[in-house]
Amino acid sequence: WYFNGAAINGATAASYAIAAAGTAKAGSYQVVASNSVGRVTSSVAALAVNLAGTTVALNSSANPASYGTSVTFTATVSPSTASGMVTFLDAETTLGTGLLSGGRATFATNGLSAGNHFIIAQYAGDASCQSSTSTVLTNPVNPALLTVTALSTNRVYGAANPSFMTTITGYANGDDASVVSGAPNLTTTAVQGSAPGGYPITAALGTLSAANYDFVFVPGNLTVSPAPLAVPPANTNRFYGAAN
């Protein structure tokens, strides 16, 4: 052992003690060296305990998903002894949080719009394990389908075709007709002089538009009925006592 460049006679192996055990949280601690002979009472140095590195692996149970359906994201945190919350982000928007259980947290949502999403799992951790890395997942969410059904109707032979109408069904995620703009294109092969019978009413996209939705179309039927024909009786006469 040496002090200021000079040997210290009688000095033997020193023992070292840290102010906290191996479970010490991140921070700075004193390290004390003491000599068994007592010639060196103590020497104090500093020990820095760095933040533990934590890895977050992100997976999705439904890839791709559809708008309005529930998607479950699972984040596995290593080491598995880590505790705390994992926050799931859609880029900068917080979706929700999942509590770690055995190093794993899950979160389910049906609020993702159609398109690609960059989902991030961010581990907050506790005071001894605050650093983390995030895995980015590209998760395509497909548009949901709205069904546009042409309503069946009728007219008589020789009349003009009526205005055709539709119903739209299949809204998801609490949406209603307010999310749809424009109108479908509705046509039929029947013209004013078409013979009595049935004719398809075909629905097509037209100017229809809705965020998070695509459209499918179901045809209707136009029934052309025979026109009523009035046949009035003709006036005539006869003599009394004659047969009609």
Side-chain angles (χ1 to χ4, degrees), residues 189-221:
T189 56
V191 297
Q192 189 168 5
S194 294
Y199 299 87
I201 303 171
T202 302
L205 184 63
T207 59
L208 278 178
S209 178
N212 302 314
Y213 293 94
D214 285 336
F215 298 92
V216 293
F217 300 92
V218 177
N221 185 70

Side-chain angles (χ1 to χ4, degrees), residues 100-161:
L100 283 174
S101 176
R104 175 172 297 193
T106 60
F107 173 75
T109 180
N110 62 351
L112 293 177
S113 60
N116 290 334
H117 294 265
F118 295 94
I119 308 300
I120 302 169
Q122 182 67 52
Y123 172 58
D126 56 29
S128 65
C129 197
Q130 292 177 349
S131 64
S132 67
T133 58
S134 296
T135 301
V136 178
L137 172 70
T138 302
N139 186 67
V141 177
N142 293 327
L145 292 178
L146 289 177
T147 301
V148 182
T149 303
L151 297 180
S152 295
T153 187
N154 60 80
R155 67 168 176 86
V156 298
Y157 168 76
N161 288 331

